[in-house]
Amino acid sequence: MAATDQHGQEGISDYAPQRSGFFAPLRGNAGLIATALIAAGGLALGGFLLGDGLPRAKRSERAVTVRGVAERDVRADLAVWSLSFAGNAPDLASAQAQADANANAIRGFFREQGFPADALTTTGVNVSRESENKQVRYVVRQRMTLRTKDVARAETAGHNQFELVRRGVFLESGSKLTFIYTGLNRIKPDMVAQATKDARASAEQFARDSGSDLGGIRNATQGYFEVSARAGDASEGWGDAETPNKTVRVVTTVNYLLK
C-alpha cells in the first residue's frame, strides 16, 4: 500500500520493511535447524542400534566348550621282531663262524615255530676289530628281522624265545618283538563320529542344566589318535609296542553356541 507523507508525496509504508525483516532470520536458520534435526535423529538411531547390538553381542558370546572321547580295543595286525647277535673271537674266521652258527640257530627256531623261510631276513652286518690289554679280538655283529602278519604265531614264538638261549644264542641289546596296528585309517571316521556324538551329549546336558538351548557348532578341533597298550597289558619294563592288544583313543574338542 502507498502512503502520502506530510508533503503530499507517495512513499513506501514502514510496515512492509518491518515484516520482511522479521522472517529473514528464520529463513537463514532453516538449514541449521534441519541439520540439527537430522543429526539428532542419527544419534537416536545409532543409540538404539548400539543398545540392541550389545545384547546380541552378549548372546553370541554364550558358548560352551566340551570334549568328546572315543576309544576302541583293537588287535595288532603286524609283528616285527628284530634280533641282534654277534660272534667274538681272536681271529676273524672264528668270529664269523660264531655269527653264522647263531644265524642258523635262529633260522631253525623260527622254522620250528612254523614261519616260512622268507619271513626272516638279514638286515645288517658289522665287523669290528677291538683291542684290550694288547689282546686283539674280532667282533662280527649281525641283525635279522622277522616280519609277519601272523601275529598269534609271533606271540607264541615270543613266549618261547628262551629256547634260543638254550641253543647258545645270546641276543644283544636292541633285540625286540613289537606289535603294530596298521588299520587306523579304517576306523578313523567311525571314531571321530563317536567322539563328536559324545561331545554333543555333554553339551546338551550342560545346556539343560544352565536353562539354555544348544545352538550350532562355532568351531571344533580333532585331537591326535593315540594307540597304546590295552589297560593291564603293559607292565614295568615293557612298552606299548610289546603287546598285540591295543587301545585306540581320540579326543575331539567342540565349541557350541548357547541360545
Side-chain angles (χ1 to χ4, degrees), residues 201-221:
S202 298
E204 288 173 343
Q205 183 63 52
F206 181 90
R208 285 193 297 268
D209 293 343
S210 63
S212 305
D213 292 325
L214 191 65
I217 295 177
R218 185 159 67 175
N219 54 66
T221 57

Side-chain angles (χ1 to χ4, degrees), residues 180-193:
I180 304 166
Y181 178 67
T182 65
L184 192 58
N185 287 336
R186 292 193 299 270
I187 66 174
K188 272 184 177 182
D190 288 343
M191 290 194 66
V192 170

Side-chain angles (χ1 to χ4, degrees), residues 142-157:
Q142 192 168 334
R143 182 182 295 273
M144 304 180 78
T145 301
L146 175 80
R147 189 179 184 89
T148 179
K149 288 186 173 296
D150 193 343
V151 173
R153 192 179 298 276
E155 189 177 17
T156 300

Side-chain angles (χ1 to χ4, degrees), residues 34-56:
T35 301
L37 289 174
I38 293 172
L43 290 174
L45 179 60
F48 170 77
L49 293 176
L50 179 61
D52 182 61
L54 289 175
R56 286 189 286 109

Side-chain angles (χ1 to χ4, degrees), residues 109 127 153 159 172 183 205 222 233-234:
F109 169 76
V127 179
R153 192 179 298 276
H159 294 155
E172 294 188 325
Q205 183 63 52
Q222 176 196 304
D233 282 19

Side-chain angles (χ1 to χ4, degrees), residues 46-196:
F48 170 77
L49 293 176
L50 179 61
D52 182 61
L54 289 175
R56 286 189 286 109
K58 289 295 183 182
R59 287 195 297 270
S60 68
E61 292 175 1
R62 297 182 67 238
V64 58
T65 299
V66 293
R67 288 180 174 83
V69 181
E71 291 185 343
R72 183 175 299 188
D73 289 336
V74 297
R75 177 86 172 169
D77 53 12
L78 176 66
V80 179
W81 194 346
S82 179
L83 306 102
S84 297
F85 53 93
N88 188 324
D91 60 274
L92 180 59
S94 297
Q96 184 65 63
Q98 285 186 18
D100 290 343
N102 287 337
N104 290 332
I106 291 172
R107 290 191 184 94
F109 169 76
F110 284 113
R111 184 170 58 250
E112 293 170 7
Q113 297 295 316
F115 291 99
D118 60 359
L120 188 67
T121 58
T122 299
T123 52
V125 176
N126 175 267
V127 179
S128 62
R129 182 175 181 273
E130 301 176 359
S131 177
E132 184 177 356
N133 297 325
K134 298 182 180 181
Q135 298 294 321
V136 176
R137 299 191 68 84
Y138 291 87
V139 180
V140 177
R141 288 188 170 85
Q142 192 168 334
R143 182 182 295 273
M144 304 180 78
T145 301
L146 175 80
R147 189 179 184 89
T148 179
K149 288 186 173 296
D150 193 343
V151 173
R153 192 179 298 276
E155 189 177 17
T156 300
H159 294 155
N160 298 331
Q161 64 181 297
F162 282 105
E163 178 62 27
L164 289 171
V165 178
R166 283 191 283 270
R167 299 184 185 191
V169 178
F170 176 75
L171 295 177
E172 294 188 325
S173 175
S175 300
K176 181 184 294 187
L177 172 60
T178 59
F179 297 94
I180 304 166
Y181 178 67
T182 65
L184 192 58
N185 287 336
R186 292 193 299 270
I187 66 174
K188 272 184 177 182
D190 288 343
M191 290 194 66
V192 170
Q194 181 183 345
T196 304

